[in-house]
Amino acid sequence: MKTRLGLLAVVLLMGGCKVNYSTTGASIDPEAKTVNVTFIENRAPLNNPLLSQKVTEALKTKITSQTRLTQVNEPNADYEFKGYISSYTFTNAAVVNTEQAATSRLTVTINITFVKRVGDKKGYQQSFSRSADFPASKLPSDVENSLLDQTIVPQMTDDIFNRAFANW
């Protein structure tokens, strides 16, 4: 009799548990169907005019290709990402001597607000920052688009995605 009661308790407890599995590691509430990634504005004093579009499209693509969510342009989507680029800077990363830089660095910071309207409704507001180094002998205008396309934007979208869907 005790064995049956114990087995019944385990079955009831297990029936109340729900785990969402995904091939990408994304954890999405079963009720969520839509996402709205709004245009990420560029408010940085120094900026690349293409960066807002690159970040917005990269985030939309990552979410729609790695989740079952559908991108909509509605303010009451189940999930919503909104934000702005707050910083875009070039600095010296390594100096050979007091007069010459060996390496320069491009750093981009984006402030993101993630709103969840279903499930636990625990979104976030956070800054994400990524950098990429390049030889100081090169002009920033010669390398910035490749640094953005190959390093900074993909890493930043991974960070935003992981924070929202993988609880990182």
Side-chain angles (χ1 to χ4, degrees):
M1 182 68 172
K2 287 183 182 180
T3 305
R4 287 184 188 171
L5 286 176
L7 184 59
L8 179 62
V10 169
V11 169
L12 289 175
L13 284 173
M14 294 302 288
C17 297
K18 183 185 337 179
V19 177
N20 297 325
Y21 293 101
S22 128
T23 57
T24 63
S27 177
I28 298 170
D29 191 279
E31 296 174 34
K33 307 282 186 258
T34 60
V35 63
N36 182 11
V37 178
T38 64
F39 186 72
I40 308 295
E41 289 182 59
N42 198 335
R43 297 183 191 168
L46 173 67
N47 65 60
N48 179 310
L50 303 175
L51 184 57
S52 288
Q53 188 68 31
K54 287 180 182 190
V55 171
T56 303
E57 290 306 315
L59 188 55
K60 283 180 182 181
T61 300
K62 182 154 187 80
I63 292 168
T64 56
S65 69
Q66 295 192 10
T67 70
R68 58 178 166 65
L69 298 172
T70 302
Q71 168 65 35
V72 296
N73 293 321
E74 298 172 7
N76 59 349
D78 297 328
Y79 293 155
E80 181 178 16
F81 290 86
K82 50 190 172 182
Y84 61 94
I85 299 161
S86 60
S87 177
Y88 187 89
T89 59
F90 288 95
T91 57
N92 292 329
V95 178
V96 185
N97 59 44
T98 57
E99 297 176 16
Q100 183 180 4
T103 307
S104 294
R105 176 173 293 150
L106 170 60
T107 304
V108 178
T109 303
I110 300 177
N111 294 313
I112 294 290
T113 300
F114 173 55
V115 179
K116 291 175 74 175
R117 294 186 178 90
V118 296
D120 64 15
K121 299 184 181 178
K122 291 181 183 176
Y124 67 79
Q125 186 170 356
Q126 181 177 333
S127 291
F128 296 89
S129 187
R130 282 296 182 155
S131 301
D133 293 347
F134 61 95
S137 59
K138 295 192 176 193
L139 292 173
S141 58
D142 292 340
V143 297
E144 71 179 311
N145 283 327
S146 65
L147 294 174
L148 291 170
D149 294 343
Q150 296 171 14
T151 306
I152 294 175
V153 172
Q155 289 175 351
M156 188 110 33
T157 55
D158 285 348
D159 293 345
I160 295 165
F161 180 91
N162 289 338
R163 176 70 171 87
F165 300 117
N167 297 321
W168 287 18

